[in-house]
Amino acid sequence: MHTNLWLGVGSSLLLGGCAGAEKADNAALPQKPNVIFIVADDLGYGDLSCYGTSAVATPHVDSLAAGGIRFTDAHAVAATSTPSRYSLFTGMYSWRRSDTGIADGDAGMIIRPEQTTVADMFKSAGYTTGAIGKWHLGLGDTAGSQDWNGEVTPGPQDIGFDYSFLMAATADRVPCVWIENRRVANYDASAPIYVSYKQPFEGEPLGKDHPELLTKLKPSPNHGHNQAIVNGISRIGYMKGGGDALWQDENIADTITAKAVDYIAAHKDTTFFLYVGTNDVHVPRYPNPRFVGKSGMGYRGDAILQFDWTVGRIVDTLKELGLLENTLIVLTSDNGPVLDDGYQDQAVELLGDHRPWGGMRGGKYSNFEAGTRVPFIVSWASHVEPAVSAALVSHIDLFASLAALVGQTPVEGAAPDSRNQLPALLGQDATGRDYIMEAGHSLSISDGRWKYIMPHNGTPFLKLPAIETGNSPEPQLYDLSTDLGEQHNLASEHPEKVDELKALLEAETAKGFKLKR
Ligand code: NG6
Ligand code: CA
């Protein structure tokens, strides 16, 4: 929708070079690159070998990083999936809305059709657009109103995606089926699908009552995930039916990868924007037998290997089709890492020396750095010089930066928080943003060196998973240049810095602030 909201201004911002064959529809212009976002789930800053771990080898991601730009100070907007992805797609800080918290599997679509997404922007620039894998932004109109046996609408087709093949929320939330465009894929008419987040369906066994049916994974004690049982794994929410349409957890990565590969092959003669959201390394982790036991760290480590394989398949496909040179790939994660996030997969017990949070404090859910500082790699073989960049960058800017790249100008109201940081993303500017903002339970702001975390009265420590939230009733100020681990609160020693960052933060929140506190 809203392709008319965008003014094409040609491709003058495309920098030199003219790789690959010209396309018929824009033969006079330098060819715009295909763009692929590969968004991992809960993959930590320290989970990839190119980011320093020696506990697990991720050669495919490493080679993408070696040929592109690997960022060391890149940030997701939020420390959980729904608000993080909301900001990635809309260029608007999720904390400006109150309904961008972790979405149930029957949530209505959070990005509304009247909004303009990065996919809309690419469509205006003549791209074909696709979304494959984890969604977690709601589908349909309102919570619980979807007809899973008919058309689920509105959906991604109403916010700029020509094609979609998605998991509605997460693998630990029902419904455990794929939704292709507006309908359940491989729909099985003999097993109509019903979903509820309010009450169980009569006759459907629940994980909490039937541990003997949990043949693949058991939930962690006192952590929920003990409702509907699908494929020997209990989930959040209640579900009935599905039959042949139900996914098998050990095939989720294969399915997402195959759909991504098919999409690329089918659209090789167009210019495309493809979002690929992997389920790896979110819970329930139940990797394909090809990867089981290969990391020595249990299913979490094996899921990292599986993620790396997915990346390898996508890159190899681009190579085989001659598209790699002119495809801009952004590889990142939606939020920081977590070990026990609800299933007994031995992520804690088998971790060994591996440090998913890469020397930082906190993790998923947290305002400390490990919550939102994420792996971030930009590869565009024909245009970027391999480098490691310490520029301060944020997911929030992908929208405006890529708009600039493909010659689109956002009109009033679209992508309100997104800024053009294309030079930083392409390695031509070593500095990046003046400041970034990140949301956990609270809100923080950082200019790269100094980081201020707003006071928050919530718990400082989650028990399950065991993670420090960054909450404190006192203002916190850290000097990340000497204290990346955020151990020394310097707020009382540098009140002027606190005032400066607080004023910047308040200027932003004055434009809209509805974070649930
Ligand atoms: C939490 C779940 C967690 C995970 C998370 C969403 C409980 C106790 N915890 O509510 O397991 O599903 O939501 O993760 O149910 S995210 O990466 O998609 O945001
Ligand atoms: Ca996540």
Side-chain angles (χ1 to χ4, degrees), residues 212-288:
E212 79 285 359
L213 298 179
L214 303 178
T215 51
K216 289 186 177 171
L217 273 176
K218 297 193 195 321
S220 304
N222 309 315
H223 200 294
H225 295 99
N226 59 3
Q227 297 173 333
I229 302 173
V230 181
N231 289 316
I233 300 177
S234 50
R235 324 264 167 171
I236 304 173
Y238 306 104
M239 177 176 185
K240 181 181 163 92
D244 290 343
L246 294 170
W247 66 55
Q248 296 287 322
D249 293 76
E250 59 271 46
N251 295 332
I252 287 175
D254 282 6
T255 300
I256 292 173
T257 306
K259 288 289 169 186
V261 164
D262 288 353
Y263 183 92
I264 294 166
H267 294 87
K268 66 181 171 47
D269 296 323
T270 73
T271 307
F272 60 82
F273 164 62
L274 176 64
Y275 157 77
V276 184
T278 70
N279 173 54
D280 295 318
V281 297
H282 197 277
V283 297
R285 305 175 186 118
Y286 199 73
N288 190 272

Side-chain angles (χ1 to χ4, degrees), residues 162-176:
D162 298 318
Y163 174 77
S164 59
F165 184 92
L166 299 165
M167 161 186 289
T170 56
D172 58 345
R173 284 173 175 76
V174 300
C176 301

